[in-house]
Amino acid sequence: VQLQASGGGKVQAGQSLRLSCVASGSGFRINYMSWYHQAPGKERELVATRTTGGTTSYAESVKGRFTISSDDTNKKVYLQMNTVRPEDTGAYYCRAGVMMGPRAYDAWGQGTQVTVSS
C-alpha cells in the first residue's frame, strides 16, 4: 500500500486549503484514514480521522475549522482546512489503517508542507 499526499502550499491566515491523499496498491481494504500535523521542531500529532463507516474525529485545535472527508471508491481522503492559523504551519501526513487478508497494517504517506503567514 502506498499513500500519496498533495495539496500543501503557502496561504495567509484566515484562508483555506484542501489536502488530498490517495492510497494505491492491490489486495487491501481500508479501515480508516487519518491526517497528522507536525509543526517545526515538534512531534507529529493526530489532526483528524475518518473510518470507512463514516465516523470522524478531530483534534480540539481544529474542530470547527477542518473537515475530513473521503472518496472510498477511489481510496482518497481529504482535509479541508478553513480559517487557517499560523500555528497550522507544518508538514501534514496521511495515514491509513488497512487489512491485507487477516493482517492489519499501517501505511504512511510522505508529508505535504503547509505554511500559514500572519
Side-chain angles (χ1 to χ4, degrees):
V1 180
Q2 290 187 328
L3 301 181
Q4 179 73 39
S6 61
K10 296 181 179 181
V11 294
Q12 292 188 330
Q15 293 184 334
S16 297
L17 204 62
R18 190 193 196 205
L19 306 183
S20 301
C21 177
V22 59
S24 61
S26 61
F28 67 96
R29 175 172 56 86
I30 296 174
N31 288 333
Y32 68 87
M33 296 185 82
S34 299
W35 286 99
Y36 284 73
H37 170 225
Q38 187 165 20
K42 296 189 177 181
E43 294 186 354
R44 196 173 297 185
E45 297 181 336
L46 178 62
V47 172
T49 296
R50 181 180 174 90
T51 69
T52 51
T55 301
T56 58
S57 60
Y58 298 92
E60 285 296 324
S61 59
V62 306
K63 280 184 179 178
R65 300 190 299 123
F66 292 7
T67 301
I68 187 169
S69 61
S70 65
D71 174 356
D72 294 336
T73 300
N74 293 302
K75 297 183 174 62
K76 292 182 178 180
V77 67
Y78 306 100
L79 186 68
Q80 179 66 41
M81 305 169 64
N82 295 332
T83 320
V84 296
R85 303 168 179 169
E87 54 264 38
D88 296 326
T89 292
Y92 284 77
Y93 299 86
C94 57
R95 175 186 181 185
V98 305
M99 297 295 296
M100 297 185 73
R103 302 186 66 177
Y105 295 91
D106 275 338
W108 287 87
Q110 90 294 355
T112 186
Q113 182 68 33
V114 172
T115 302
V116 182
S117 59
S118 57

